[in-house]
Amino acid sequence: MANLWHRHRAAASCTMPLHPGVSYSISTSAVDRTTFPQSPPERRRHFSKQVSTFQKQALRERRSVHNTSQGPKGWRRTRWTEKGRVVVEAAVTSPSNCNNNNGAVQPPAAINNNQSDIVILTNGPGEVAAWVKPVVTALRQHTNKHFSDIRISVVLAPCPHASGSELQLLQTFDEIDRCQGPEDFWQLLLLGRSLQNWDWRKQGLCIFLGGDQFNALVLGYRLGYRTLVYTEDAVRWPGLVDVYLLHSDEMLSKVPKWAHTQCQVVGDLFADAVATSITGLPHWPPLSGNQSAAMTAEESVPVVGLLPGSKDAKLAIGVPYFIAVAEHLHQRLEGHVRFVLPLAPTVSLDVLARHADPCLNPLIARFKWAAGNLVLNQSKEIQPDSMKQFEDIGAKESPQFLKDGPVGELLTKGQVHIEIWQQFPPYTVYQQCNLCLTTVGTNTAELGSLGIPMFIVLPTHALEMFKGATGGVVGLLAAVPGWIGDTVAHLVNVALLKTAGFISWPNRWAGEEVVPELIGNIEPVEVAAMAAEYLNAPSRLHSMHQRLLSLRQKRPSFTGQLGAAHTIACTVEQMLRS
């Protein structure tokens, strides 16, 4: 064996009967000279020990040595890292596949794909609706072609902005085999056990789609799975996470160069998910220049959409704020306006009513915003958990769409009626709106992809409500009850807003302001005045619509290119094979 050592590399082979009828040829390569003894006899003993260690590990864990790269002469090899930085390669060398003339090993006819677990870690309502759904759909489309049995599990991590209905939404996804709520998260993370006594397979992958990246790292280690992290924030654990999938080249430029091999830019999962969902839907109808929002005919009454958000902190501010905007706008347009509120799938009617009640929401009295009473439509079958799925309505039915579909309304003190819609996804509702007033979030990507004119409104009256904007020591201080936590949260959010740049997805895509972003201590009457100006000048809405459509046509999913969800699914498939 001594003559096989050359230029600090070693090679040897042996057979290892793990399964009947199949033998395994094991070799080593890329040996670090500094970790091996210098004399040939000692090197041979050291190498034999490494091979023995590999045999014991393979026997103990019963890991397949099929997969990954295609080696020379048809060999299929899997790399193993042992102590001493020895990279061990194993290849299937069944005698039936050997060529008797030259001994070359032919590749097997088919890959024997083991059963695998895919565990997805997520947290908030936006991540569940716009990240998890497209990813699990793409996973099913890809893995079912190449793997005999893939089980997808989704684990919800605790989130300060969660609505409490994320688990119910996940249960409506047919692609998911099982899911677990945030109340059971810590037992699974620390002990590796769920309250439902889930079983775990030997081979698997842990995917991060929202929350704390460190939790995904711990969960993957606990289950013995590799980890894959999709992030639009930062690469926090390079070298420990196996693969990072990033949403922009700008993020990659901030990653240390030694970790670039672990990172891949896949694009914007939010935007690509929305683009895939709305493909084939009709565009927002352009307004002609001679239309006026002050026309008295019902068919020409403009429709304004109000999107206060889905997280509890956003709802506490957004619901009374947008109700106040609706009252002022209704007064400016002399009643010739219609308001719709598409309810997020994770928000129940009871939650909406609570945030509109001045007795339950102290911000209404504090900032003198408006309240509203929930009035249910008795002709509709109301589901308390807001999981009702409405059938898609075609373009020909759109004139009657806003007349027959609301499940209820918010009635304000000024007798303004705000219709409540429970459709998921709410794209056909959006398409009926001449203008949408929305807070920051996923819906800006949805509206932008549909070409719906919008204002992004972020009042900073109560920034201390948002306490999950950062982690670490500062995040712990912000979570402290009382004035200390409120002060820290306020200061953190002020600093983030100053350095955030554009907060809406269309403006980020364009790198300039395409839709107005109203940020600061802006009163509802100011927003109403600006909205009235746009509604009375349809050409401005039409111009914004055209700009949004031009951005949409540049998105990968609309130009026929494969989007982020597809790339994530392909990466998962490759990792499971290796």
Side-chain angles (χ1 to χ4, degrees):
M1 184 181 293
N3 61 346
L4 297 178
W5 288 82
H6 181 61
R7 293 185 180 179
H8 317 314
R9 298 178 61 86
S13 64
C14 65
T15 58
M16 179 177 53
L18 291 181
H19 303 284
V22 180
S23 61
Y24 297 82
S25 175
I26 304 171
S27 63
T28 64
S29 62
V31 179
D32 191 343
R33 179 185 178 93
T34 61
T35 62
F36 272 76
Q38 298 303 312
S39 63
E42 291 178 349
R43 287 200 298 264
R44 287 195 294 270
R45 287 194 297 270
H46 186 93
F47 173 71
S48 299
K49 182 178 179 181
Q50 297 300 321
V51 172
S52 177
T53 302
F54 170 71
Q55 287 179 309
K56 292 178 181 179
Q57 179 182 359
L59 286 169
R60 180 174 63 253
E61 300 187 6
R62 297 182 180 275
R63 294 188 175 184
S64 172
V65 292
H66 310 268
N67 310 329
T68 54
S69 59
Q70 185 77 25
K73 299 181 180 180
W75 290 52
R76 302 194 67 86
R77 300 187 174 185
T78 299
R79 293 173 175 82
W80 302 76
T81 302
E82 298 291 341
K83 293 181 179 179
R85 297 181 64 184
V86 178
V87 179
V88 183
E89 297 181 348
V92 181
T93 59
S94 175
S96 60
N97 292 331
C98 293
N99 187 316
N100 293 328
N101 295 329
N102 54 18
V105 180
Q106 303 299 326
I111 300 175
N112 181 20
N113 297 304
N114 291 337
Q115 294 179 337
S116 301
D117 265 328
I118 296 178
V119 186
I120 298 176
L121 180 63
T122 188
N123 59 345
E127 288 79 2
V128 171
W131 280 10
V132 175
K133 178 59 175 177
V135 168
V136 296
T137 301
L139 285 174
R140 284 301 182 194
Q141 294 174 351
H142 286 75
T143 57
N144 286 347
K145 297 179 182 179
H146 306 287
F147 292 85
S148 58
D149 189 4
I150 294 293
R151 182 170 58 186
I152 299 178
S153 307
V154 179
V155 177
L156 285 169
C159 175
H161 304 304
S163 65
S165 301
E166 288 80 8
L167 182 61
Q168 296 174 347
L169 179 59
L170 286 171
Q171 291 171 347
T172 66
F173 296 169
D174 296 333
E175 298 85 358
I176 297 176
D177 295 299
R178 55 189 186 180
C179 50
Q180 174 180 287
E183 61 276 1
D184 304 333
F185 174 74
W186 295 113
Q187 177 174 333
L188 176 63
L189 187 70
L190 300 178
L191 304 178
R193 299 196 305 266
S194 67
L195 293 182
Q196 301 175 359
N197 293 322
W198 288 356
D199 63 299
W200 300 104
R201 296 168 177 173
K202 293 293 184 181
Q203 178 177 339
L205 183 66
C206 183
I207 304 176
F208 172 85
L209 292 178
D212 191 336
Q213 298 179 20
F214 182 72
N215 290 338
L217 190 63
V218 175
L219 183 60
Y221 174 80
R222 174 65 63 184
L223 300 177
Y225 296 166
R226 301 177 69 187
T227 52
L228 181 149
V229 171
Y230 173 81
T231 178
E232 60 179 23
D233 181 17
V235 176
R236 303 189 185 280
W237 303 98
L240 297 178
V241 172
D242 292 285
V243 176
Y244 265 103
L245 302 181
L246 312 180
H247 98 291
S248 66
D249 294 320
E250 182 181 359
M251 289 187 60
L252 183 61
S253 64
K254 299 178 182 179
V255 178
K257 291 185 179 180
W258 60 265
H260 279 198
T261 56
Q262 300 175 255
C263 302
Q264 178 184 355
V265 177
V266 298
D268 183 355
L269 185 56
F270 267 139
D272 288 346
V274 173
T276 304
S277 301
I278 69 176
T279 300
L281 292 178
H283 297 329
W284 176 80
L287 297 176
S288 60
N290 57 2
Q291 286 181 313
S292 172
M295 295 177 64
T296 57
E298 182 180 355
E299 289 76 11
S300 61
V301 172
V303 180
V304 176
L306 305 176
L307 287 72
S310 59
K311 298 179 180 180
D312 195 68
K314 289 183 178 180
L315 290 170
I317 299 174
V319 171
Y321 187 92
F322 282 135
I323 292 177
V325 172
E327 284 198 328
H328 289 294
L329 185 57
H330 185 270
Q331 183 179 2
R332 281 182 172 271
L333 298 180
E334 299 179 351
H336 300 292
V337 63
R338 198 169 189 174
F339 298 100
V340 297
L341 193 157
L343 202 60
T346 55
V347 180
S348 67
L349 292 170
D350 292 338
V351 171
L352 180 66
R354 172 167 56 85
H355 289 297
D357 190 342
C359 298
L360 301 177
N361 189 348
L363 296 181
I364 297 177
R366 177 182 171 186
F367 299 110
K368 298 181 180 180
W369 292 337
N373 295 321
L374 177 64
V375 180
L376 298 180
N377 187 348
Q378 300 299 329
S379 64
K380 294 292 180 180
E381 181 181 355
I382 307 297
Q383 292 191 5
D385 58 2
S386 293
M387 291 297 119
K388 186 174 182 178
Q389 303 286 324
F390 288 87
E391 296 183 356
D392 290 336
I393 298 179
K396 295 182 180 180
E397 298 175 343
S398 58
Q400 299 295 325
F401 180 63
L402 292 181
K403 296 180 181 179
D404 302 330
V407 297
E409 65 180 17
L410 286 175
L411 181 60
T412 72
K413 185 178 180 179
Q415 297 302 306
V416 177
H417 300 261
I418 302 175
E419 300 172 4
I420 304 172
W421 289 79
Q422 283 186 304
Q423 177 179 332
F424 179 74
Y427 304 141
T428 48
V429 181
Y430 293 163
Q431 289 170 325
Q432 308 304 314
C433 298
N434 299 82
L435 176 66
C436 282
L437 307 178
T438 176
T439 185
V440 62
T442 314
N443 40 27
T444 63
E446 296 173 334
L447 294 170
S449 297
L450 284 167
I452 309 298
M454 73 185 95
F455 291 173
I456 287 78
V457 185
L458 184 59
T460 58
H461 295 67
L463 285 179
E464 66 275 5
M465 298 285 294
F466 302 97
K467 296 190 176 183
T470 186
V473 177
V474 177
L476 294 175
L477 290 175
V480 174
W483 67 270
I484 296 179
D486 291 345
T487 302
V488 174
H490 182 85
L491 295 175
V492 168
N493 289 317
V494 169
L496 290 176
L497 286 176
K498 289 182 178 180
T499 59
F502 293 115
I503 63 173
S504 65
W505 287 108
N507 291 345
R508 290 180 180 178
W509 299 336
E512 59 181 357
E513 184 172 287
V514 176
V515 297
E517 296 184 354
L518 310 179
I519 307 172
N521 288 320
I522 302 175
E523 297 301 328
V525 64
E526 299 178 71
V527 178
M530 186 173 179
E533 292 180 5
Y534 272 77
L535 290 173
N536 284 316
S539 59
R540 301 180 70 177
L541 296 177
H542 182 75
S543 176
M544 190 187 306
H545 166 68
Q546 293 296 332
R547 290 287 307 278
L548 292 172
L549 285 188
S550 66
L551 291 176
R552 162 183 170 151
Q553 293 170 358
K554 296 177 182 179
R555 303 297 302 167
S557 296
F558 289 107
T559 57
Q561 301 178 22
L562 300 176
H566 173 86
T567 308
I568 292 174
C570 292
T571 304
V572 169
E573 180 184 336
Q574 295 173 2
M575 295 180 69
L576 289 177
R577 286 179 175 274
S578 62

